[in-house]
Each structure stands twice: as C-alpha cells, then as structure tokens.
Amino acid sequence: MKPLTITALLPLCALLSIPLLSGCRSSRTDIDTRSVRKLDINKYMGRWYEIARFDHRFERGLVGVTAEYSLLPNGKIQVLNSGYEHSFDGTHKTIAGKASQPDPLEPGRLKVSFFPLVSSDYYILELDEVHYSFALIGSSSDRYLWILSRTAELPEDTKEYLLDRAKARGYDTSRLYWTPQHKIRPSAETHSPSGNP
C-alpha cells in the first residue's frame, strides 16, 4: 500500500501487519489468530477502505486511509497504502510494498514487506466469503487489528458482527480508532455479514 513516508504506513500493512516495526507496548499472543481457510486471491484484489484500526505510530494522524492490492505476474501482490495527514485537506501520503502467501495451506496468512529484509504478518481473520465486501485483519499478536471494507462506510450490523468476532478472539475492541473517510456514495450496495444482499 505506499511510496512517500513511513508515517503513512497502514494494514492490512497490515493492515494492517507491522509487528516487526512495533513500539514498546507489551503484547499478548493468546488471542485466536486462526485465519480464513479459503481465499480467492483474485477476488481479494482491488481497493479497501480502512474503517477502523488499532492506532500506532506509523498511521497516527492519518484519515481517509485506503489499501490497494494488485496481483503481479510473479504471483506476488503489489500493495499501495495511502492516507491524508490530519484532515482531507492535509498532505496525501503513500507507501508501496509487496505481499506474498508463504504457505498455500494457509491462504489467509500473508507476509507484507515495505522495506528490504523486513516482513510482517497479515492475517485475514474474518472475511465476507461471498462478496468480499469486508474483512478483519490481524497479526500474530494483539497489537494490530484492522476493519476493512470495499466501501467508505459499513452498515451498523456488519460493524457489530466484526466487533463481536474480534472480541471472541480476545481483542480489546475499545482500542479501535474509527478512521474518518470521505462520504462517497457506494457504487454497489453493501452486504450483511451473512453474505445475503
């Protein structure tokens, strides 16, 4: 997701996804980090809006955060994270990286790298497996959590569903920062957690 500054780093660097560059806050590893068992990587590509995140220094102050994923010819994933500093009138920041699926038997566990020789976990914990309209992203500890959506807003019932799933996994959802997004009219209607229109 980005090429200008570390401050713009996301999730899904997840992302998302930056445990190796973390601060000094202690973390728990007893959370449920099981990832989705099926993933259509082509369907997962495209733009995702960051609805909420556990705030950290790499994203602090960023609003309007998005993640763009595109499949490369070598099978890796191009990642482009972007956001605005402090307000939508602020400087637009981007950072670019690459992601990969190290284990085909664990398709929902990706590795993301924005710097040479440094990679971070990107675990797709929950996913709308029908429409790929929302996702819950974590890592190998409780330091990072993201809620992503194909649209700039999520229906309240979908938010509640993802919050419940995150709590059940052991995350402290009171730490979530709800990312301001442009109020863009969705090009397609959003879907409920069950995947039904």
Side-chain angles (χ1 to χ4, degrees), residues 15-28:
L15 82 187
L16 28 252
S17 168
I18 319 189
L20 298 181
L21 307 175
S22 62
C24 56
R25 180 186 177 276
S26 61
S27 65
R28 291 171 44 215

Side-chain angles (χ1 to χ4, degrees), residues 12 40-45 48 69 122 124 132 137 150:
L12 310 26
D40 182 337
I41 198 64
N42 288 289
K43 200 170 178 180
Y44 195 77
M45 298 298 97
W48 291 88
Y69 304 124
Y122 180 106
I124 305 172
Y132 281 50
I137 307 299
R150 291 297 194 182

Side-chain angles (χ1 to χ4, degrees), residues 172-186:
D172 177 6
T173 57
S174 68
R175 293 175 48 209
L176 281 168
Y177 167 76
W178 295 91
T179 310
Q181 290 285 356
H182 280 299
K183 302 302 181 185
I184 302 171
R185 186 180 182 85

Side-chain angles (χ1 to χ4, degrees), residues 16-180:
L16 28 252
S17 168
I18 319 189
L20 298 181
L21 307 175
S22 62
C24 56
R25 180 186 177 276
S26 61
S27 65
R28 291 171 44 215
T29 55
D30 59 336
I31 54 170
D32 181 357
T33 62
R34 286 176 296 176
S35 57
V36 296
R37 302 300 300 173
K38 296 179 181 179
L39 181 68
D40 182 337
I41 198 64
N42 288 289
K43 200 170 178 180
Y44 195 77
M45 298 298 97
R47 173 175 293 184
W48 291 88
Y49 292 86
E50 182 187 271
I51 302 300
R53 67 177 183 254
F54 277 2
D55 210 14
H56 50 81
R57 60 194 178 95
F58 299 103
E59 276 194 270
R60 194 146 298 140
L62 289 182
V63 302
V65 176
T66 61
E68 299 261 2
Y69 304 124
S70 55
L71 204 56
L72 299 172
N74 63 2
K76 291 188 180 294
I77 300 163
Q78 176 72 44
V79 179
L80 184 67
N81 287 352
S82 63
Y84 297 87
E85 281 190 327
H86 307 300
S87 75
F88 294 109
D89 296 322
T91 303
H92 188 243
K93 301 289 186 179
T94 60
I95 187 166
K98 287 187 172 59
S100 62
Q101 291 175 299
D103 185 355
L105 298 179
E106 294 279 3
R109 295 194 168 203
L110 283 66
K111 286 286 188 180
V112 179
S113 178
F114 291 88
F115 310 100
L117 306 179
V118 178
S119 64
S120 302
D121 297 324
Y122 180 106
Y123 292 174
I124 305 172
L125 305 176
E126 306 284 345
L127 180 65
D128 170 7
E129 295 181 353
V130 177
H131 304 285
Y132 281 50
S133 63
F134 60 78
L136 182 71
I137 307 299
S139 70
S140 54
S141 80
D142 70 334
R143 288 183 178 178
Y144 302 97
L145 190 69
W146 287 267
I147 294 176
L148 303 181
S149 171
R150 291 297 194 182
T151 55
E153 294 183 273
L154 268 181
E156 286 302 318
D157 62 336
T158 305
K159 285 183 188 177
E160 289 303 316
Y161 168 78
L162 291 172
L163 288 173
D164 287 346
R165 296 304 304 140
K167 288 175 186 175
R169 287 173 174 270
Y171 287 95
D172 177 6
T173 57
S174 68
R175 293 175 48 209
L176 281 168
Y177 167 76
W178 295 91
T179 310

